[in-house]
Amino acid sequence: MTGNESGGETVGPLLRRLRRAGGRTQEELAADLSVRRGYPLEQATVSRWENEERLPDPLSRALLSAEFGVPEQELKRAVQLARRLRRKQEKDVERREFISLSAGAGLAVIQPATLLSSGRRLGAEVPRHLAQRTARLRRLDDFMGGGDTYRMYAGELSVTTRLVEEGVYTENVGRGLHGIVAEQAQLAGWAAYDAGMHGEARGHYMTALAASKAAGDRSLEGNSLALLAYLEWADGGGSGIAYAEAGFEAVRSGTDSVVRALLADRLAWQYATSGREREAEYSLSLAAEAIRDQPDDRVPDWAYWVDHDEILIMTGRCWTELRRPLRAIPALEDALGRYDDTRARDKALYLSWLASAYLDAGEVEHAVALTGRVLDLSEDLASARPTERARVIMQRLEPHRALASVSELLERA
């Protein structure tokens, strides 16, 4: 492991260079450090440091700083860089293994000819098969960013769209196929949005809206509108609330309480980011009420992730946007206490709002610690959103640069 990949020197090469510059062997350096600390240090420990099998702890860094006459901060930065590169390598391996396992589970993009091989007539088994594939693909989003998944999702959407255009099927099968197109277009749009490709996201969401209407699925139609609202907010447009209100109206009288909770949640976000506190609070109450009514057997797969904790997260985010930290912090901390680090992108995003809430509460040091976690979790994620959120917090921390912890965090970023 070297520092060349990231423009700096990691601790192993740095220690090796400093030791050799003084003409010492590992055994001689270990002996000199033993004198400094008053008890023996083995040559094997120096070897592990230089090979980065083990990274020097703060006490060891202080001894090495004194021994070599280099600033302790330089050694600390070299250790942090080594740790980041190690995490990157581990995540790259995990990502490759995950994609490989997904392909092994039958998620390689299918060819239209496979489902049209017996002629152009498509039976009811085709949308069922595609729904199962789409559900498996959807789970990738829990662990991977849009930069990793977008091409896969867009490829799957292209295949299904061709089936709809070229196949022959009954009206019922057609509605099922259009529903799959809507789901896959939402998935591709979400991945594009997550990767920062907002133009592509908008096109997919419009496709999803048209397909959901063709399928006669009001829940999918409402979700397409809510996703357009979220994109409009991200782009700074003025029609986010209109989209979100139309989305919620599409499901207000429906029987699917989970979808109602999700779309009330997304409507609350539009109100909160527009400073409309009363409307945001009312929408959040609708979401909380709907999620309490959730039946076990009426959750569409595209909303499988919506639960009480997700409503709490959005509640905390909304109150953060409204600069009400005493209401935001308890909700966010409650839900995040049950959030697994394997969902690194989402946890990084949600921690960023918690950091903002603590800043609003005047707890700068706590905000710094949380922002450090955001940076840890979002390193090497193929997602544009955590980076943008981190940038927002850094700007807010800039006036506090005189604090050592803030200065160190800004340097790291």
Side-chain angles (χ1 to χ4, degrees), residues 96-345:
R96 287 194 297 270
E97 288 178 348
F98 196 73
I99 292 174
S100 175
L101 286 171
S102 298
L107 292 180
V109 173
I110 57 172
Q111 298 302 315
T114 303
L115 294 176
L116 290 169
S117 58
S118 59
R120 293 182 181 275
R121 179 159 295 280
L122 304 177
E125 74 283 355
V126 174
R128 283 198 299 268
H129 169 71
L130 292 174
Q132 291 169 356
R133 287 178 55 79
T134 303
R136 293 200 298 272
L137 283 166
R138 187 177 286 114
R139 268 60 179 179
L140 299 180
D141 185 66
D142 286 342
F143 308 101
M144 301 167 69
D148 287 324
T149 58
Y150 174 67
R151 290 179 64 186
M152 189 186 309
Y153 291 164
E156 193 80 6
L157 173 62
S158 177
V159 169
T160 306
T161 301
R162 182 177 164 190
L163 287 172
V164 172
E165 292 172 347
E166 298 183 6
V168 176
Y169 38 80
T170 65
E171 184 177 346
N172 283 339
V173 170
R175 281 197 293 268
L177 288 171
H178 280 102
I180 298 300
V181 169
E183 289 190 38
Q184 291 181 354
Q186 289 178 5
L187 200 52
W190 180 255
Y193 166 63
D194 190 51
M197 301 184 294
H198 289 194
E200 290 85 347
R202 187 176 301 279
H204 290 310
Y205 289 159
M206 295 306 292
T207 297
L209 183 58
S212 61
K213 289 181 177 180
D217 191 322
R218 294 286 282 170
S219 292
L220 278 172
E221 181 181 344
N223 196 45
S224 299
L225 289 164
L227 289 169
L228 280 165
Y230 216 76
L231 184 62
E232 192 73 17
W233 161 77
D235 285 341
S239 53
I241 289 178
Y243 276 131
E245 287 177 338
F248 184 67
E249 283 302 317
V251 301
R252 180 189 288 273
S253 59
T255 58
D256 197 329
S257 58
V258 175
V259 173
R260 242 184 8 261
L262 171 61
L263 300 194
D265 215 33
R266 287 176 169 168
L267 178 56
W269 175 254
Q270 297 297 324
Y271 286 139
T273 54
S274 299
R276 294 168 60 172
E277 180 175 323
R278 184 173 60 83
E279 292 95 331
E281 185 171 18
Y282 177 66
S283 297
L284 288 171
S285 71
L286 292 178
E289 179 183 355
I291 206 67
R292 282 196 299 268
D293 296 338
Q294 172 184 343
D296 294 333
D297 58 347
R298 292 193 58 83
V299 182
D301 189 77
W302 53 265
Y304 75 91
W305 49 274
V306 181
D307 58 15
H308 175 69
D309 282 345
E310 288 299 330
I311 304 303
L312 272 180
I313 289 287
M314 183 60 86
T315 298
R317 290 173 64 196
C318 286
W319 287 120
T320 299
E321 291 293 319
L322 290 163
R323 298 298 176 92
R324 299 285 298 276
L326 296 184
R327 301 190 71 169
I329 291 170
L332 288 168
E333 288 191 332
D334 184 7
L336 284 168
R338 293 180 290 276
Y339 231 82
D340 197 306
D341 279 7
T342 57
R343 298 173 66 181
R345 178 196 57 201

Side-chain angles (χ1 to χ4, degrees), residues 390-402:
R391 187 179 297 117
V392 169
I393 302 173
M394 295 301 171
Q395 290 172 348
R396 294 194 62 196
L397 284 170
E398 187 66 41
H400 304 283
R401 185 181 277 274

